[in-house]
Amino acid sequence: MRRPMVAGNWKMHGTRASVAELINGLSHLALPSGVDVAVFPPFLHINQVIDGLKGKSISVGAQNSAVESMQGALTGEVAPSQLVDAGCTFVLVGHSERRQMGEQDGMLIRKFAAAQACGLIPVLCIGETLEQREAGKTLEVVGRQLGSIIEELGVGAFANAVIAYEPVWAIGTGLTASPQQAQDVHAAIRAQLAAENSEVAQGVRLLYGGSVKAANAVELFGMPDIDGGLIGGASLNADEFGAICRAAGN
Ligand code: PGA
């Protein structure tokens, strides 16, 4: 049985004051014990969040990390080893908002490997644009994004990673993939992994992301290959986020 996971991607939101408020809200949530819960604040607020959530069963991750594991001369970047030192567990790799800024598969392979090399768990984000979906290319695009990592690092890399399927057209738009649309892609992702190694395929958690809210989470998380969610906008409201976490525990 895969343990469900709900991850909150705060993106480029927050001030010291609003983050303190959010930490306070998260601290008071009644979270289901069977669900892994994580939040991904901006780099600037990671220390504040880790200190503020000490003793709570919420892990912390970063939204990005450098292509090199160890600290060094790379202006403006943050090394995975520095994130581990700060107390992070996870890191997003290849969020579509970063792919749109030019991050490509070659760089993402390096980021994924560098993160794993120092014990961070990568959350690989994959997904198609509206244009690609309408052209019937969803599985081809997602398959290529996943396949580039499998080819370079081997399917075993997913024994200790998470995958988030996030259709670009559903992110921040209020449009959600229907549970069946999401399930179809999740099943294809799992099948692609299973073609290489069925144990890895059965064990890896596949999160859905794209306008998940408390109101649609139960239905989405009820699908057999959806193991939780990567939540953007709705994760900035502690009560809403808590309700989504509970939906994953059903
Ligand atoms: P959203 O973002 O929930 O605001 O659509 C999801 C994400 O980008 O991870």
Side-chain angles (χ1 to χ4, degrees), residues 68-91:
E68 304 286 349
S69 294
M70 308 310 285
Q71 54 183 305
L74 248 184
T75 304
E77 291 291 304
V78 177
S81 60
Q82 293 175 303
L83 295 171
V84 170
D85 177 59
C88 287
T89 309
F90 297 97
V91 64

Side-chain angles (χ1 to χ4, degrees), residues 36-239:
D36 285 342
V37 177
V39 293
F40 293 70
F43 286 131
L44 200 57
H45 299 119
I46 283 177
N47 285 327
Q48 188 186 352
V49 173
I50 285 176
D51 287 348
L53 292 177
K54 219 160 247 159
K56 305 287 169 193
S57 53
I58 301 179
S59 307
V60 177
Q63 298 171 19
N64 181 33
S65 59
V67 294
E68 304 286 349
S69 294
M70 308 310 285
Q71 54 183 305
L74 248 184
T75 304
E77 291 291 304
V78 177
S81 60
Q82 293 175 303
L83 295 171
V84 170
D85 177 59
C88 287
T89 309
F90 297 97
V91 64
L92 301 184
V93 176
H95 190 280
S96 65
E97 287 154 12
R98 300 196 59 81
R99 289 183 191 261
Q100 278 163 353
M101 288 193 317
E103 289 199 0
Q104 290 179 352
D105 289 341
M107 175 186 265
L108 298 176
I109 293 164
R110 292 180 66 197
K111 289 191 175 193
F112 189 107
Q116 273 192 337
C118 50
L120 276 182
I121 300 173
V123 179
L124 177 71
C125 303
I126 56 182
E128 82 288 2
T129 62
L130 184 58
E131 201 182 13
Q132 290 164 334
R133 173 162 284 264
E134 285 175 345
K137 294 196 167 144
T138 298
L139 297 185
E140 181 188 322
V141 169
V142 166
R144 193 175 60 229
Q145 291 169 336
L146 177 62
S148 69
I149 305 271
I150 298 176
E151 237 166 74
E152 282 297 319
L153 307 179
V155 71
F158 289 95
N160 203 16
V162 176
I163 297 171
Y165 167 58
E166 299 201 299
V168 177
W169 48 271
I171 294 178
T173 56
L175 295 173
T176 316
S178 70
Q180 192 58 53
Q181 277 176 323
Q183 164 60 25
D184 289 347
V185 180
H186 282 227
I189 292 169
R190 211 178 291 286
Q192 186 175 353
L193 293 163
E196 308 276 336
N197 183 320
S198 60
E199 203 179 313
V200 169
Q202 284 314 309
V204 70
R205 288 179 292 187
L206 307 183
L207 313 184
Y208 169 77
S211 300
V212 178
K213 304 174 209 60
N216 58 24
V218 173
E219 250 197 302
L220 284 161
F221 299 166
M223 302 309 279
D225 286 297
I226 301 182
D227 306 311
L230 179 55
I231 321 300
S235 71
L236 296 170
N237 178 314
D239 290 334

